[in-house]
Amino acid sequence: MAKKFDRPKHKQESLINKAKKSIKVDHNDFISFSFKYFDEHHKKFHLNEKELDYFLILLNRLKDISTFKLQDFYSNRGKTLRCHPIDWDDTTEECFNLKNEEQLVETPYQFGLSANEYGRVHGFLIDSTFFIRWFDPDHKLYSKD
């Protein structure tokens, strides 16, 4: 008769989470951007009919943030950048709707393009890379319209 073995009763940690823990994040690394998880087809978060000014502001903001060290990004609460975590309970969405999101996204973040006029960028950090999920030029993440 084959010998039975007891399966562990705790949930096994995912390989992604194990890999994240094994990498040491250097808070002196500069922020970089990735569009790997960018969703250009979301019904609310699109750039249709945006003027050239919007794109110039967007590119300049991404360029400016790429000069930030990770620690500077986390600690910047200035009026124009307004970088902070997203609390899904305060939004119109429940999550980024990504496959394996619970393993990829530790904390969803957003930052502003200007004081209020050009909206925000939503995404998440892995190490010092900010993965852009949505551009929100019309502030629709917090608007119930």
Coordinates of all heavy atoms in Angstrom, one line a residue, residues 8 13 23-24 26 31 33 37 39 41 48-49 51 65 75 83-84 104 121 124 128 130-132:
P8 N 1.0 20.3 3.2 CA 1.0 21.5 4.2 C -0.3 22.2 4.3 O -1.0 22.3 3.3 CB 2.1 22.4 3.5 CG 2.6 21.7 2.3 CD 1.8 20.5 2.1
E13 N 3.6 30.1 -0.7 CA 3.9 31.4 -1.2 C 4.2 31.3 -2.7 O 4.9 30.4 -3.2 CB 5.2 32.0 -0.5 CG 5.5 33.4 -0.8 CD 6.6 33.9 0.0 OE1 7.5 33.1 0.5 OE2 6.7 35.1 0.2
I23 N 15.0 40.1 -3.9 CA 15.7 41.3 -4.5 C 15.8 42.4 -3.4 O 14.7 42.8 -2.9 CB 14.9 41.8 -5.7 CG1 14.9 40.7 -6.8 CG2 15.5 43.0 -6.3 CD1 14.0 40.9 -7.9
K24 N 16.9 43.0 -3.2 CA 17.1 44.1 -2.3 C 16.8 45.4 -3.1 O 17.5 45.6 -4.1 CB 18.4 44.1 -1.7 CG 18.6 42.9 -0.7 CD 19.8 43.1 0.1 CE 20.0 41.9 1.0 NZ 19.8 42.1 2.3
D26 N 17.2 49.2 -3.7 CA 18.0 50.3 -3.3 C 17.2 51.5 -3.5 O 16.9 51.9 -4.6 CB 19.3 50.3 -4.2 CG 20.3 51.4 -3.8 OD1 19.9 52.2 -2.9 OD2 21.4 51.4 -4.4
I31 N 13.8 56.2 -10.5 CA 12.5 55.6 -11.0 C 12.6 55.5 -12.6 O 13.1 56.3 -13.3 CB 11.4 56.6 -10.7 CG1 11.2 56.8 -9.2 CG2 10.1 56.1 -11.4 CD1 10.6 55.6 -8.5
F33 N 10.1 53.8 -16.0 CA 8.7 53.5 -16.3 C 8.6 52.3 -17.2 O 9.5 52.1 -18.1 CB 8.1 54.8 -16.9 CG 7.9 55.9 -16.0 CD1 8.9 56.9 -15.9 CD2 6.9 56.0 -15.1 CE1 8.8 57.9 -15.0 CE2 6.7 57.0 -14.2 CZ 7.7 58.0 -14.2
Y37 N 2.0 46.8 -18.5 CA 0.6 46.5 -18.1 C -0.3 47.7 -18.5 O -1.4 47.7 -17.9 CB 0.6 46.2 -16.6 CG 1.4 45.0 -16.2 CD1 2.7 45.2 -15.6 CD2 1.0 43.8 -16.5 CE1 3.4 44.1 -15.2 CE2 1.8 42.7 -16.1 CZ 3.0 42.8 -15.5 OH 3.8 41.8 -15.2
D39 N -3.1 49.8 -20.1 CA -4.4 49.4 -20.6 C -5.0 50.6 -21.4 O -5.6 51.5 -20.8 CB -5.4 49.0 -19.5 CG -6.8 48.7 -20.0 OD1 -7.0 48.6 -21.2 OD2 -7.6 48.5 -19.1
H41 N -7.2 50.5 -23.7 CA -8.6 50.2 -24.1 C -9.7 50.3 -23.0 O -10.8 50.1 -23.3 CB -8.7 48.8 -24.7 CG -7.7 48.6 -25.9 ND1 -7.9 49.3 -27.1 CD2 -6.6 47.8 -26.0 CE1 -6.9 48.9 -27.9 NE2 -6.1 48.0 -27.3
N48 N -8.2 59.7 -26.0 CA -8.8 60.1 -27.2 C -9.1 61.6 -27.0 O -9.5 62.1 -26.0 CB -10.1 59.4 -27.4 CG -9.9 57.9 -27.5 OD1 -8.8 57.4 -27.7 ND2 -11.0 57.1 -27.4
E49 N -8.9 62.3 -28.1 CA -9.3 63.8 -28.2 C -8.5 64.7 -27.3 O -8.9 65.8 -27.0 CB -10.8 64.0 -28.0 CG -11.6 63.2 -29.0 CD -13.1 63.2 -28.7 OE1 -13.5 64.1 -27.9 OE2 -13.8 62.4 -29.2
E51 N -5.4 67.2 -26.5 CA -4.6 68.1 -27.2 C -3.1 67.9 -27.0 O -2.7 67.2 -26.1 CB -5.0 69.6 -26.7 CG -6.4 70.0 -26.9 CD -6.8 70.1 -28.4 OE1 -5.9 70.6 -29.2 OE2 -8.0 69.8 -28.7
I65 N 10.1 62.8 -13.2 CA 10.0 61.7 -12.2 C 11.2 60.7 -12.4 O 11.7 60.2 -11.4 CB 8.7 61.0 -12.2 CG1 7.6 62.0 -11.7 CG2 8.7 59.8 -11.3 CD1 6.2 61.5 -11.7
S75 N 8.2 59.8 -0.8 CA 8.1 60.8 0.2 C 7.5 62.1 -0.4 O 7.2 63.0 0.4 CB 9.4 61.1 0.9 OG 10.3 61.6 0.0
C83 N 1.8 62.4 -5.1 CA 2.1 61.0 -5.2 C 1.6 60.3 -4.0 O 2.0 60.7 -2.9 CB 3.6 60.8 -5.4 SG 4.1 59.1 -5.3
H84 N 0.7 59.3 -4.1 CA 0.3 58.6 -2.9 C -0.4 57.3 -3.4 O -0.8 57.1 -4.5 CB -0.7 59.5 -2.1 CG -1.9 59.9 -2.9 ND1 -3.0 59.1 -3.0 CD2 -2.2 61.0 -3.5 CE1 -4.0 59.8 -3.7 NE2 -3.5 60.9 -4.0
L104 N 1.3 40.6 -8.2 CA 2.1 41.7 -8.8 C 2.1 43.0 -8.1 O 3.1 43.6 -7.9 CB 1.5 42.0 -10.2 CG 1.9 41.0 -11.4 CD1 1.1 41.4 -12.6 CD2 3.3 41.0 -11.7
V121 N -1.7 59.7 -13.2 CA -1.2 58.5 -13.8 C -1.4 57.4 -12.7 O -0.9 57.7 -11.6 CB 0.2 58.6 -14.3 CG1 0.8 57.3 -14.7 CG2 0.4 59.7 -15.3
F124 N 1.7 50.9 -10.5 CA 2.3 50.3 -9.3 C 3.8 50.2 -9.5 O 4.3 50.2 -10.6 CB 1.7 49.0 -9.0 CG 1.7 48.0 -10.2 CD1 2.7 47.1 -10.2 CD2 0.8 48.0 -11.2 CE1 2.8 46.2 -11.3 CE2 0.8 47.1 -12.2 CZ 1.8 46.2 -12.3
S128 N 12.2 49.7 -8.5 CA 12.2 51.1 -8.8 C 11.5 51.4 -10.2 O 11.7 52.4 -10.7 CB 13.6 51.7 -8.8 OG 14.4 51.0 -9.8
F130 N 8.1 51.9 -12.2 CA 6.7 52.3 -12.1 C 6.0 51.7 -13.3 O 6.3 52.1 -14.4 CB 6.5 53.8 -12.0 CG 5.1 54.2 -11.6 CD1 4.7 54.4 -10.3 CD2 4.1 54.3 -12.6 CE1 3.4 54.7 -10.0 CE2 2.8 54.6 -12.3 CZ 2.4 54.8 -11.0
F131 N 5.1 50.8 -13.1 CA 4.3 50.2 -14.2 C 3.1 51.0 -14.4 O 2.2 51.0 -13.5 CB 4.0 48.7 -13.9 CG 5.3 47.8 -14.0 CD1 6.1 47.7 -12.9 CD2 5.6 47.2 -15.2 CE1 7.2 46.9 -12.9 CE2 6.7 46.4 -15.2 CZ 7.5 46.2 -14.1
I132 N 3.0 51.7 -15.5 CA 1.8 52.5 -15.8 C 0.6 51.6 -16.2 O 0.8 50.8 -17.1 CB 2.1 53.5 -16.9 CG1 3.2 54.5 -16.3 CG2 0.8 54.3 -17.3 CD1 3.7 55.5 -17.4

